[in-house]
Amino acid sequence: MRADRLVSLVLLLRRRGRLSAATLARELEVSTRTVLRDMEALSAAGVPVYAERGRHGGFALLPGFQTELTGLNHDEALALLVAGSRRGAQVFGLGSALASAMLKVVDALPESHRDTAAGVAERLLIDPETDLLSRRVVAEEVPDAIVAEVRRAVFAGHKLRIHYAATGQTPQWRTVDPIGLVTVRDQGYLMATRSGADRTYRLSRMLAAEELAEPAQRADRVDLDRAWQERGTQFRTGGDQVTVLVRVDPARREDLVGTALAVCAEEADADGRLRLEVTYQDSRHAEWALWQLATDAEALAPQWLRTSLRNRAAAIATCYGASP
């Protein structure tokens, strides 16, 4: 995470004084160009870093630089560093503010706590970019200008005009009453109402946004977690959803449940397999999910799903039955 690297950069300058860009790049295991970009970010965040040219030049902090923050102990600072390693701030366009805040937290600690907190933080990795199978977690890219407009409208309680590209539809301008912002697995969402009806908009599908001066029509207080759960329930119970009865190997239960919208019922069969009634978004979703489990799961109903899976298996067998 860039915020962690900026913290390490400032700590290096505090401990060792003036350092060249090449030395900093080597210490942080990044390119010289990355160091130069980080220096620009630090300067924009208000950190008094300066450069000196020449053979013995480099980057340094102004003498006596230290932020002020009292009453923060080691574990509290560590908790903030861990929280700062998560991507929510990046999704909501607060990455640079987070980096600045983390620098102030670490720099304000007593000398005895500062090194320890920074060292412990290096031993914790939160939400890496890939899992153990090297599957990359792709964070959605949303222009900062759009996120900033949305964020301002949410906090100010003003109406918001967005140019939104819904799936399979031509982008349209919509005026909404924003309620709150939610991040789930690096995807940002705006919870809002439109003409009194609940709406949820994905930030990455916003092509433009404009905060309006008109007050939003919304309650003064909101339980955002409860509202999100309710909208999730509405999503799972609407549309062309299908319910499937499945027998599955207990070892693959979590794989099955992980692809389903909901589990309606579950019981154990006499042979040790589990029998679950699960809901999928539509027929294509159900067929895809069951196909991933191969013979570890068997769709018992509906019949059209059994037929579809059998036809797909037969096509695969035919393809690989002959020599290439």
Side-chain angles (χ1 to χ4, degrees), residues 25-74:
R26 186 167 55 253
E27 291 284 345
L28 300 173
E29 298 182 350
V30 297
S31 67
T32 302
R33 180 175 297 179
T34 296
V35 170
L36 297 177
R37 285 199 300 264
D38 287 349
M39 287 299 175
E40 292 180 359
L42 288 174
S43 180
V47 177
V49 60
Y50 67 98
E52 287 189 358
R53 299 183 181 277
R55 182 177 180 182
H56 300 291
F59 291 99
L61 295 169
L62 287 179
F65 165 68
Q66 182 164 353
T67 57
E68 296 182 1
L69 188 64
T70 59
L72 200 67
N73 63 34
H74 168 267

Side-chain angles (χ1 to χ4, degrees), residues 187-202:
Q187 297 175 355
Y189 298 88
L190 168 69
M191 294 180 61
T193 60
R194 185 182 177 206
S195 300
D198 289 343
R199 293 289 186 268
T200 303
Y201 300 99
R202 199 154 162 175

Side-chain angles (χ1 to χ4, degrees), residues 292-313:
Q292 310 307 308
L293 298 176
T295 58
D296 289 331
E298 178 188 2
L300 302 177
Q303 183 58 44
W304 62 260
L305 179 57
R306 290 178 59 86
T307 301
S308 180
L309 289 169
R310 182 181 66 243
N311 292 342
R312 178 183 282 204

Side-chain angles (χ1 to χ4, degrees), residues 10-315:
V10 170
L11 290 178
L12 279 171
L13 295 178
R14 283 184 58 83
R15 294 171 187 157
R16 296 166 56 178
R18 184 183 302 109
L19 294 172
S20 69
T23 300
L24 289 168
R26 186 167 55 253
E27 291 284 345
L28 300 173
E29 298 182 350
V30 297
S31 67
T32 302
R33 180 175 297 179
T34 296
V35 170
L36 297 177
R37 285 199 300 264
D38 287 349
M39 287 299 175
E40 292 180 359
L42 288 174
S43 180
V47 177
V49 60
Y50 67 98
E52 287 189 358
R53 299 183 181 277
R55 182 177 180 182
H56 300 291
F59 291 99
L61 295 169
L62 287 179
F65 165 68
Q66 182 164 353
T67 57
E68 296 182 1
L69 188 64
T70 59
L72 200 67
N73 63 34
H74 168 267
D75 287 344
E76 290 170 340
L78 179 59
L80 289 175
L81 291 174
V82 171
S85 297
R86 304 189 68 86
R87 299 192 184 97
Q90 310 296 332
V91 174
F92 294 146
L94 295 170
S96 60
L98 171 63
S100 175
M102 290 177 67
L103 289 173
K104 292 176 182 178
V105 167
V106 174
D107 191 59
L109 289 173
E111 188 70 34
S112 58
H113 289 340
R114 187 183 303 136
D115 294 341
T116 305
V120 172
E122 292 176 355
R123 305 291 178 176
L124 301 174
L125 177 61
I126 312 298
D127 290 340
E129 293 186 353
T130 61
D131 62 14
L132 289 176
L133 297 179
S134 294
R135 293 175 297 193
R136 188 174 182 82
V137 178
V138 181
E140 296 184 329
E141 296 292 334
V142 186
D144 289 344
I146 293 178
V147 180
E149 284 291 311
V150 174
R151 194 172 63 240
R152 281 195 292 266
V154 170
F155 295 158
H158 291 167
K159 285 184 178 292
L160 179 70
R161 189 167 176 260
I162 58 175
H163 195 209
Y164 192 74
T167 304
Q169 299 181 21
T170 303
Q172 296 180 353
W173 283 98
R174 313 172 187 202
T175 298
V176 302
D177 296 295
I179 294 174
L181 290 165
V182 179
T183 175
V184 181
R185 296 191 180 97
D186 297 331
Q187 297 175 355
Y189 298 88
L190 168 69
M191 294 180 61
T193 60
R194 185 182 177 206
S195 300
D198 289 343
R199 293 289 186 268
T200 303
Y201 300 99
R202 199 154 162 175
L203 295 182
S204 61
R205 292 177 183 159
M206 293 183 186
L207 306 180
E210 178 187 359
E211 178 193 5
L212 304 180
E214 184 180 352
Q217 296 180 3
R218 67 182 191 183
D220 293 335
R221 301 185 64 84
V222 62
D223 185 339
L224 207 58
D225 183 61
R226 181 178 178 180
W228 178 257
Q229 296 299 328
E230 290 175 349
R231 295 197 182 188
T233 300
Q234 293 173 7
F235 176 79
R236 290 190 297 270
T237 56
D240 301 322
Q241 295 175 2
V242 296
T243 299
V244 179
L245 183 61
V246 185
R247 267 172 43 91
V248 64
D249 185 326
R252 302 299 302 278
R253 179 191 180 279
E254 294 306 314
D255 295 325
L256 173 69
V257 172
T259 60
L261 293 180
V263 177
C264 305
E266 180 176 354
E267 62 181 3
D269 277 350
D271 62 356
R273 284 212 161 194
L274 299 175
R275 187 178 293 242
L276 287 83
E277 187 176 330
V278 294
T279 302
Y280 290 102
Q281 187 63 40
D282 51 32
S283 58
R284 293 178 60 187
H285 183 198
E287 181 178 344
W288 171 85
L290 271 296
W291 182 258
Q292 310 307 308
L293 298 176
T295 58
D296 289 331
E298 178 188 2
L300 302 177
Q303 183 58 44
W304 62 260
L305 179 57
R306 290 178 59 86
T307 301
S308 180
L309 289 169
R310 182 181 66 243
N311 292 342
R312 178 183 282 204

